[in-house]
Amino acid sequence: MLARDAHRPALEWLSDLQKAKGGSADKPKTTIQDLLERFNDPTASTSDPSSLIPSSPRSVEACFRCGIDPLELAYQPATYFKRPLEDEDISQMRYEKNEAVRQERIKTLIDSRKDLIDNLWQPSDSKMPAAGSSSMRSMRSEAAGEARSTMIEKERERMEVSKRRQEKELSQMVEHEVKRAELLAKQQKKIDEMEKRNQEQLRMKAENEKAWIDKQREIELQKAREEEEIEIEAKLMAEERYKREKEIQARLALEEKERKRAAREAEMERRSKVAEATAATQAILDAQAELVRQNRIKMEKQDAERARRMDDEAKARTIANAEKRAKADARIAAALAQSEAVLAKKRADFEARERAAAARRVELEVIEKRDIEAKRMADARMEQERAEKYQSAADAEEARKQSIRSRAEQKDRELAELYARRKKENDIKKLESDFELKLRLDKVDSIAKHQCYERDLGLRKIMTEFETKRSMLRERQELMTQRKQANMDAALQRQKMQGTMDTLKRSKDMSKIRAAVQ
């Protein structure tokens, strides 16, 4: 809903009605009845607001006496009073109340105009003549005639009386204005106090309602916490069961792992022993080969040395040395053959042990696979049983949660309905309070406009009397000036006549005297 403008200032209202009343005489005058169709047109107040102001003297006088602004009688549709996010019933109630007030004001104006017609009221009866009108001129002419036909003393007395009356009226007007200002201040103070009380009541209602809602929310939160604690306890129990199962599985897995580790360690020990035996055998072979190689090198060196020493010896010694070398070669070959036979035997033993170990590993792997498969099937059964238990617990928990949610949703719906019902009641009370305040403000505005009209009447009356007195004083001044001029002319004529008479008397010519007298 668009915000309605505040009441127009009283002086603007008075000025517009006076202009409409004192318009051209050639234009037809419009009454309240003539404007009823325009009042009921929603676009009239926005297209041409001046078309809602009557120009008939009796209609304008009715507006003056009732203190009603005709621009506020324009019809406003129900959408004009619609506020954002407001219930349709509240908007309709606001529209109906404002429409009833508008119709009542129109009826008041029509009845007031009818009373003026029944009482034979005429525009000339108004105490508010316009400046420069024929009535003003007639009053001035009558005052001027009266000033000419009265004595200066009586005029002075009337001026004194008028002056005292004007002073009295001015003092009465000042006193009236002071009283009016005090009355308006008291009314404003009462309105402020009422608004303050209304705001305090609304604040207390809002606080009580908020406290009630907070209490209900606290109760719901307490229930939710209790349910959450129960749920947490159930979860903890499930977690404990799950942990125990996991611990059992971990312990079994640890035992299995320990068994596997012991088997691996035994196998590794066996392999390390085999490797050590192989390494020892290889070391012996390497040592023997190294010994043979060293012996060969040593013998070659000895042979070379002997060859160098015995180059010059006989061929017999050469043949002997050759036989010795052949024997040494035979001994070396025999040693090598013996070493190779020992190494071959050791390799055959190692390969036999390896084949036995491989067969044993195959048997252990078969046994391990069988145990693992049995363990896996047992674990699968336990996991299935655990999953079934967990699913049943989860289904029960979900059913409980669904029940809790349904109860919470039901409670929320009930709270929402209660809140909506209370909000509507509060909105209706606020609407009635605001409308009552609006009626009081309208009454204050009507009283202020009527007082402005009465005050303007008094001021115009004073100005009319002031203009009359000023015209009388101006005409009296002119009359006194004329009398002074006539007296001066008469005195000059007498002086001239006296001089002429004195001259003629000194000449003693009676004919000239008679001629001068004639």
Side-chain angles (χ1 to χ4, degrees), residues 45-246:
S45 60
T46 56
S47 59
D48 186 12
S50 61
S51 63
L52 301 178
I53 300 177
S55 57
S56 170
R58 292 184 181 87
S59 298
V60 174
E61 185 66 23
C63 292
F64 282 150
R65 294 189 177 188
C66 297
I68 296 176
D69 189 354
L71 296 183
E72 296 178 0
L73 301 179
Y75 172 77
Q76 299 295 347
T79 55
Y80 180 84
F81 301 95
K82 175 67 178 175
R83 292 179 179 176
L85 304 177
E86 187 178 51
D87 192 80
E88 293 291 340
D89 296 338
I90 305 298
S91 301
Q92 186 65 25
M93 288 177 63
R94 185 181 291 106
Y95 162 72
E96 291 174 356
K97 286 180 177 291
N98 284 274
E99 181 63 18
V101 170
R102 189 182 74 89
Q103 295 293 339
E104 182 65 25
R105 288 182 178 179
I106 294 175
K107 184 176 181 299
T108 301
L109 285 180
I110 294 174
D111 294 342
S112 178
R113 182 177 181 277
K114 184 174 180 301
D115 291 339
L116 292 174
I117 295 173
D118 294 340
N119 295 330
L120 303 177
W121 182 87
Q122 296 297 327
S124 58
D125 297 339
S126 175
K127 298 179 181 180
M128 190 176 60
S133 62
S134 59
S135 59
M136 176 72 79
R137 289 192 294 271
S138 63
M139 290 174 66
R140 290 178 179 176
S141 61
E142 291 175 1
E146 184 180 357
R148 295 189 186 96
S149 62
T150 57
M151 297 296 291
I152 295 176
E153 290 79 5
K154 292 182 179 180
E155 195 68 27
R156 184 181 297 111
E157 292 177 359
R158 282 196 296 272
M159 288 294 293
E160 292 295 332
V161 171
S162 177
K163 183 178 179 181
R164 288 193 298 271
R165 185 170 64 252
Q166 288 180 2
E167 291 177 352
K168 185 177 180 181
E169 288 179 353
L170 286 174
S171 63
Q172 289 177 353
M173 286 185 64
V174 171
E175 185 179 357
H176 174 70
E177 287 296 325
V178 172
K179 289 182 178 179
R180 187 182 69 82
E182 292 177 355
L183 180 61
L184 289 176
K186 289 181 180 179
Q187 290 177 348
Q188 186 65 33
K189 185 177 180 181
K190 288 182 179 178
I191 291 171
D192 294 340
E193 290 178 355
M194 289 181 63
E195 284 205 3
K196 188 175 180 181
R197 285 198 299 271
N198 289 334
Q199 291 177 359
E200 185 65 23
Q201 290 177 358
L202 291 175
R203 186 183 63 78
M204 292 180 65
K205 287 182 180 178
E207 288 180 355
N208 293 334
E209 185 174 354
K210 183 179 178 182
W212 183 82
I213 292 174
D214 292 340
K215 186 176 180 182
Q216 293 295 323
R217 186 176 300 166
E218 185 64 28
I219 294 172
E220 292 297 325
L221 290 174
Q222 183 64 26
K223 290 182 179 179
R225 283 195 295 269
E226 292 176 356
E227 293 173 353
E228 186 177 358
E229 289 176 358
I230 295 172
E231 182 179 354
I232 291 171
E233 186 177 357
K235 287 182 178 180
L236 291 175
M237 293 175 67
E239 290 177 358
E240 288 293 332
R241 288 195 300 270
Y242 181 73
K243 285 180 180 180
R244 286 196 298 272
E245 292 176 358
K246 283 292 185 181

Side-chain angles (χ1 to χ4, degrees), residues 195-448:
E195 284 205 3
K196 188 175 180 181
R197 285 198 299 271
N198 289 334
Q199 291 177 359
E200 185 65 23
Q201 290 177 358
L202 291 175
R203 186 183 63 78
M204 292 180 65
K205 287 182 180 178
E207 288 180 355
N208 293 334
E209 185 174 354
K210 183 179 178 182
W212 183 82
I213 292 174
D214 292 340
K215 186 176 180 182
Q216 293 295 323
R217 186 176 300 166
E218 185 64 28
I219 294 172
E220 292 297 325
L221 290 174
Q222 183 64 26
K223 290 182 179 179
R225 283 195 295 269
E226 292 176 356
E227 293 173 353
E228 186 177 358
E229 289 176 358
I230 295 172
E231 182 179 354
I232 291 171
E233 186 177 357
K235 287 182 178 180
L236 291 175
M237 293 175 67
E239 290 177 358
E240 288 293 332
R241 288 195 300 270
Y242 181 73
K243 285 180 180 180
R244 286 196 298 272
E245 292 176 358
K246 283 292 185 181
E247 288 176 356
I248 293 171
Q249 292 178 0
R251 189 168 60 253
L252 294 175
L254 185 61
E255 292 176 355
E256 182 65 24
K257 185 177 180 182
E258 186 66 24
R259 287 196 299 272
K260 289 181 179 180
R261 187 183 63 78
R264 281 197 303 272
E265 288 180 354
E267 182 65 21
M268 290 298 292
E269 186 178 359
R270 184 187 62 77
R271 289 183 181 182
S272 64
K273 289 181 179 179
V274 172
E276 289 176 358
T278 304
T281 303
Q282 187 67 33
I284 293 170
L285 292 175
D286 292 341
Q288 290 177 356
E290 181 66 22
L291 181 59
V292 171
R293 186 181 65 79
Q294 289 178 359
N295 292 329
R296 184 181 296 167
I297 292 171
K298 184 176 180 183
M299 289 174 70
E300 287 177 356
K301 287 181 179 180
Q302 289 176 358
D303 290 340
E305 289 177 357
R306 281 192 300 271
R308 284 193 300 269
R309 286 194 308 265
M310 297 174 68
D311 283 338
D312 297 332
E313 291 182 357
K315 291 180 180 179
R317 291 186 64 182
T318 303
I319 295 170
N321 290 332
E323 290 176 357
K324 290 180 181 179
R325 192 165 44 251
K327 291 178 181 180
D329 292 335
R331 286 195 302 273
I332 292 169
L336 290 174
Q338 186 180 359
S339 298
E340 288 177 359
V342 172
L343 183 61
K345 184 180 179 183
K346 289 183 178 180
R347 186 178 290 112
D349 295 339
F350 174 73
E351 290 176 356
R353 287 197 299 273
E354 282 293 323
R355 286 193 295 273
R360 180 61 180 168
R361 278 200 304 274
V362 171
E363 292 176 358
L364 290 175
E365 288 177 358
V366 170
I367 295 171
E368 184 178 358
K369 287 181 181 180
R370 187 168 59 251
D371 294 340
I372 290 172
E373 183 65 22
K375 181 64 177 176
R376 186 186 64 79
M377 293 178 66
D379 292 341
R381 285 194 300 273
M382 291 178 65
E383 183 66 22
Q384 184 177 3
E385 292 176 359
R386 189 188 64 78
E388 291 175 354
K389 291 179 181 179
Y390 179 78
Q391 185 63 35
S392 62
D395 294 340
E397 184 67 18
E398 184 64 26
R400 189 180 66 82
K401 289 182 179 178
Q402 185 65 30
S403 176
I404 293 171
R405 281 197 293 269
S406 62
R407 290 199 302 271
E409 290 175 357
Q410 179 67 22
K411 193 66 175 179
D412 291 339
R413 285 194 296 271
E414 292 176 357
L415 288 174
E417 292 174 358
L418 180 61
Y419 177 74
R421 187 165 60 252
R422 290 192 175 182
K423 184 177 183 301
K424 187 173 182 180
E425 293 175 357
N426 292 332
D427 290 342
I428 293 173
K429 291 179 181 179
K430 186 176 184 302
L431 172 62
E432 292 176 352
S433 176
D434 293 344
F435 190 73
E436 183 180 357
L437 179 62
K438 179 182 178 300
L439 291 180
R440 292 181 180 180
L441 293 176
D442 292 345
K443 184 65 176 176
V444 170
D445 180 71
S446 177
I447 293 171

